[in-house]
Amino acid sequence: MIRVGITGQSGFIGTHLFNQLGLYPERFRRIPFDDEYFSNEKRLRNFLRQCDVIVHLAAMNRHPNSQVIYDTNIRLVKQLIDAMEAENITPHILFSSSSQEKLDNPYGKSKAEGRRLLENWAKQHDASFSGLVIPNVFGEFSRPNYNTFIATFAHKLITGDQPTIINDSSVKLIYISSLCQFILNNIRGEGIRKIEVPYDFERKVSEILTLFQQFKETYLDKGYFPFLVNKDDVNLFNTFRSYIDYATHFPVKLIKHTDYRGMFVETIKLGIGGQVSFSTTLPKVTRGNHYHTRKIERFTVIKGKARIQLRKIGTKEVFDFYLDGSEPSYVDMPVWYTHNITNIGDDELYTQFWINEWYNPEDGDTYFEEV
């Protein structure tokens, strides 16, 4: 079992990598990291002693004073080196650099210099080092106005603002899960390497904005699932919807049509395909308690009373939604949220489930964890 520590664990990439490592408990042991360790040498050294592999993600991306960005990132690298030398340890270091290395800005310079410092340390101590030159990363829970323009666009559109394009360039993009999987594939290092991390796709900034405007119109405003051409569109859609305020947006009320024949509810209008299922659940019974990392899923209550619960992996806050079939409504399951549904009424619960891909028992993308 490989013991892995992640500096900057609480950040965008760090959170995803920590969670993705948790999908393979038989392969990896996660050594928790706290940002406070860089202010406490004893705790930093204790953390490093426990690690076979260190993924160094801790860095500053934005600051009004550009010199602070450079100085902070270099200081973090030097603290890491000093602590390893004090402990006389040589874990495999994977360093998160950036394609901005080639640009004349403080962040890019700090990444290029940080990689050089760690390469020199590895040469002096006969250690393994992997300098990962990473393209633009996007994905769920990235900070708007900080990590990526994609997060900023999604957040602005969802909150009723209009994004502005400053430079309509063509951007090489990698989805956060692709990056995490690449890191896992390179977790065992040999020698000193500079690795250009491959990007998933390339698009113009204006093309991303147009796509997100379509997502807002079809999904957020009308409740329709948009047509997603390929997995890159799926990843962009999951990213877009991660900025919805789930506590206030759901449950979404549907229109119930009744006549002498009974009741009819339009639950899903699809541009995307997928699989629809229907179930009945006996009183006091709970289904689910699992999460997905890529699947898009909707629970619609048609009859009976239900409580749907959501909790983001790695957090404690639980969202409780109460649905009543007398007013048919639905809740969508965000990726990386464990979820369940409980019949809280006295009668049978009727629920319809839709998911964007057919179930494959060999690749179910279903991980069990109590809400």
Side-chain angles (χ1 to χ4, degrees):
M1 181 175 291
I2 305 174
R3 300 172 301 168
V4 183
I6 306 166
T7 70
Q9 177 187 307
S10 63
F12 166 47
I13 298 176
T15 298
H16 277 273
L17 182 58
F18 187 83
N19 288 338
Q20 202 141 325
L21 285 164
L23 302 178
Y24 310 99
E26 71 286 353
R27 292 175 55 194
F28 304 110
R29 178 186 167 198
R30 298 176 293 181
I31 307 300
F33 177 85
D34 191 285
D35 291 341
E36 183 268 343
Y37 291 177
F38 277 114
S39 301
N40 187 318
E41 183 182 357
K42 181 178 179 181
R43 298 191 69 183
L44 178 61
R45 288 170 61 173
N46 180 62
F47 162 75
L48 295 174
R49 278 198 307 270
Q50 301 177 68
C51 300
D52 302 312
V53 174
I54 297 165
V55 185
H56 182 51
L57 302 175
M60 178 180 285
N61 294 353
R62 301 280 189 274
H63 194 276
N65 185 340
S66 60
Q67 189 63 40
V68 172
I69 297 174
Y70 180 86
D71 292 343
T72 299
N73 293 341
I74 296 302
R75 172 178 57 80
L76 294 175
V77 170
K78 289 181 176 179
Q79 282 186 262
L80 191 66
I81 291 173
D82 290 345
M84 290 188 296
E85 290 182 338
E87 290 294 326
N88 193 27
I89 55 174
T90 54
H92 174 211
I93 302 293
L94 293 103
F95 176 62
S96 169
S97 188
S98 166
S99 54
Q100 291 192 45
E101 273 194 7
K102 303 171 184 177
L103 302 180
D104 186 22
N105 63 51
Y107 178 73
K109 289 179 178 178
S110 73
K111 286 298 183 180
E113 176 65 10
R115 183 167 58 80
R116 186 188 66 79
L117 289 171
L118 285 165
E119 284 181 353
N120 289 339
W121 166 83
K123 291 175 183 176
Q124 293 170 10
H125 297 275
D126 193 26
S128 296
F129 171 73
S130 300
L132 306 180
V133 181
I134 301 172
N136 294 274
V137 188
F138 74 95
E140 302 82 20
F141 322 128
S142 173
R143 284 172 57 187
N145 304 307
Y146 187 80
N147 290 122
T148 167
F149 74 93
I150 290 181
T152 304
F153 282 3
H155 181 262
K156 282 182 175 290
L157 287 169
I158 287 172
T159 55
D161 200 355
Q162 181 57 43
T164 301
I165 296 176
I166 298 173
N167 179 18
D168 191 19
S169 57
S170 186
V171 184
K172 294 179 173 64
L173 295 161
I174 183 170
Y175 183 49
I176 184 64
S177 291
S178 299
L179 173 59
C180 290
Q181 190 58 56
F182 186 90
I183 292 173
L184 297 191
N185 292 343
N186 288 274
I187 208 79
R188 292 185 181 277
E190 294 183 3
I192 298 172
R193 305 178 295 171
K194 175 186 176 184
I195 305 174
E196 299 281 347
V197 178
Y199 59 93
D200 286 335
F201 62 97
E202 183 174 359
R203 290 193 193 176
K204 294 185 69 175
V205 173
S206 57
E207 293 174 336
I208 299 292
L209 179 56
T210 297
L211 184 66
F212 277 13
Q213 288 170 332
Q214 293 170 356
F215 289 167
K216 180 183 183 300
E217 180 182 353
T218 57
Y219 178 72
L220 195 65
D221 297 343
K222 298 180 180 179
Y224 303 173
F225 282 104
F227 177 68
L228 304 177
V229 176
N230 51 37
K231 68 176 183 179
D232 299 326
D233 277 7
V234 171
N235 294 337
L236 285 165
F237 179 60
N238 276 330
T239 298
F240 175 85
R241 68 193 187 105
S242 74
Y243 297 94
I244 294 172
D245 183 353
Y246 279 86
T248 59
H249 184 73
F250 292 107
V252 175
K253 303 294 184 182
L254 297 173
I255 299 174
K256 180 170 67 173
H257 304 274
T258 59
D259 58 20
Y260 67 92
R261 295 169 296 180
M263 180 265 291
F264 172 77
V265 179
E266 292 183 343
T267 59
I268 305 172
K269 293 185 177 179
L270 309 174
I272 190 174
Q275 178 173 307
V276 177
S277 304
F278 173 82
S279 79
T280 61
T281 303
L282 295 176
K284 316 307 178 188
V285 172
T286 298
R287 296 178 180 271
N289 283 318
H290 60 236
Y291 63 97
H292 311 296
T293 68
R294 68 169 186 271
K295 288 181 176 178
I296 306 165
E297 193 175 30
R298 174 173 291 182
F299 289 9
T300 305
V301 170
I302 303 298
K303 181 181 178 183
K305 295 182 178 181
R307 181 191 67 203
I308 292 176
Q309 294 183 304
L310 304 177
R311 178 178 60 80
K312 183 180 173 183
I313 295 301
T315 69
K316 296 180 180 179
E317 182 180 14
V318 176
F319 294 112
D320 290 325
F321 301 108
Y322 295 90
L323 294 76
D324 191 326
S326 63
E327 291 185 295
S329 52
Y330 68 81
V331 174
D332 289 346
M333 306 301 119
V335 291
W336 292 103
Y337 276 72
T338 186
H339 49 267
N340 66 32
I341 181 169
T342 302
N343 183 348
I344 59 174
D346 298 322
D347 302 316
E348 263 189 337
L349 174 66
Y350 290 2
T351 312
Q352 183 188 66
F353 305 92
W354 173 85
I355 201 160
N356 71 307
E357 61 184 62
W358 294 345
Y359 180 70
N360 178 359
E362 296 180 3
D363 184 19
D365 188 40
T366 300
Y367 303 93
F368 291 92
E369 181 170 327
E370 292 285 329
V371 174

